[in-house]
Amino acid sequence: MKNTMRFNPPRSWFAGGNLNPQLIGMVHVIGTVASYVQGVEKPKMLEIGSFMGESTLLFASMGCFEEIHCIEPFSGDFDEYKDYGDDWSAVKREFFTNTRHFKDKIHLYKDFSYNLVHTFKDEDFDFIYIDALHDYDSVKRDLELYLPKVKKGGVIAGHDYSKEFSGVQRAVNEMCTTLNQTYPENVFMDNSWLVRKDI
């Protein structure tokens, strides 16, 4: 593949600098989440929108999650990536390449998040990361469906909290209001956001 989302993004995503903000931001997310799950017995996480499995690999490499559940249908609107010569079959191959060392921890669900919500119990996860569709309605739906799946004191986070994706910002801010917060606790270099539940 010519470009990938985290490891080799297009240079235009570097905002004029020499550092890869997609990788560095995710590393900061990982460090923050790792500090919150220290001491938790057998922590579990869920990733909604795993795409090529790059962030999945980074989460698995932390070493602190007993189980990593991934929701990725490998289908749907792909227009924004066609410029890079990719298709869903290539994305799927990359996912399995990137996650091959952690097959014992990673549980993949090839479906859309709204079809799988009843698969998981409420307060089942210590951490949920959302990086699926980036429109307001889709993000709001994922937040409403999956916030109950986060344990009290757990973390919900996601990607693309930026002016470019104003629908993401709006949906996340609305969720924050329901948690008696105004904005996310953290916004990172890659535009990932993070909120702790019921602290």
Side-chain angles (χ1 to χ4, degrees), residues 12-163:
S12 61
W13 293 12
F14 283 45
N18 293 322
L19 299 174
N20 176 353
Q22 298 303 316
L23 180 60
I24 293 170
M26 183 53 74
V27 168
H28 290 154
V29 172
I30 287 168
T32 303
V33 172
S35 70
Y36 290 149
V37 299
Q38 287 300 307
V40 174
E41 187 176 347
K42 297 183 177 179
K44 292 169 60 175
M45 73 160 285
L46 172 67
E47 181 179 41
I48 300 173
S50 299
F51 203 57
M52 296 181 190
E54 292 172 304
S55 53
T56 317
L57 168 60
L58 294 170
F59 290 131
S61 297
M62 289 168 64
C64 64
F65 288 110
E66 185 84 7
E67 297 177 21
I68 299 174
H69 297 260
C70 300
I71 297 175
E72 177 54 68
F74 300 110
S75 65
D77 181 18
F78 200 81
D79 289 343
E80 63 184 294
Y81 306 108
K82 286 181 180 173
D83 291 342
Y84 304 116
D86 302 334
D87 60 22
W88 279 117
S89 61
V91 169
K92 190 173 182 180
R93 280 194 308 274
E94 285 292 309
F95 176 89
F96 287 112
T97 297
N98 285 325
T99 61
R100 68 193 183 279
H101 298 299
F102 299 98
K103 292 178 186 176
D104 57 328
K105 287 186 178 193
I106 294 171
H107 307 272
L108 175 63
Y109 305 82
K110 298 176 192 174
D111 202 342
F112 295 94
S113 58
Y114 50 82
N115 291 329
L116 294 167
V117 67
H118 299 297
T119 304
F120 309 107
K121 297 181 293 187
D122 285 355
E123 297 192 15
D124 202 23
F125 294 101
D126 301 283
F127 174 52
I128 292 180
Y129 189 82
I130 299 173
D131 190 13
L133 294 176
H134 300 102
D135 62 281
Y136 170 76
D137 291 333
S138 298
V139 176
K140 184 174 179 66
R141 178 176 57 197
D142 278 339
L143 292 171
E144 289 177 344
L145 291 175
Y146 283 91
L147 182 60
K149 308 302 178 185
V150 180
K151 293 178 183 175
K152 186 172 183 176
V155 180
I156 189 164
H159 197 216
D160 294 306
Y161 185 88
S162 66
K163 291 179 182 177

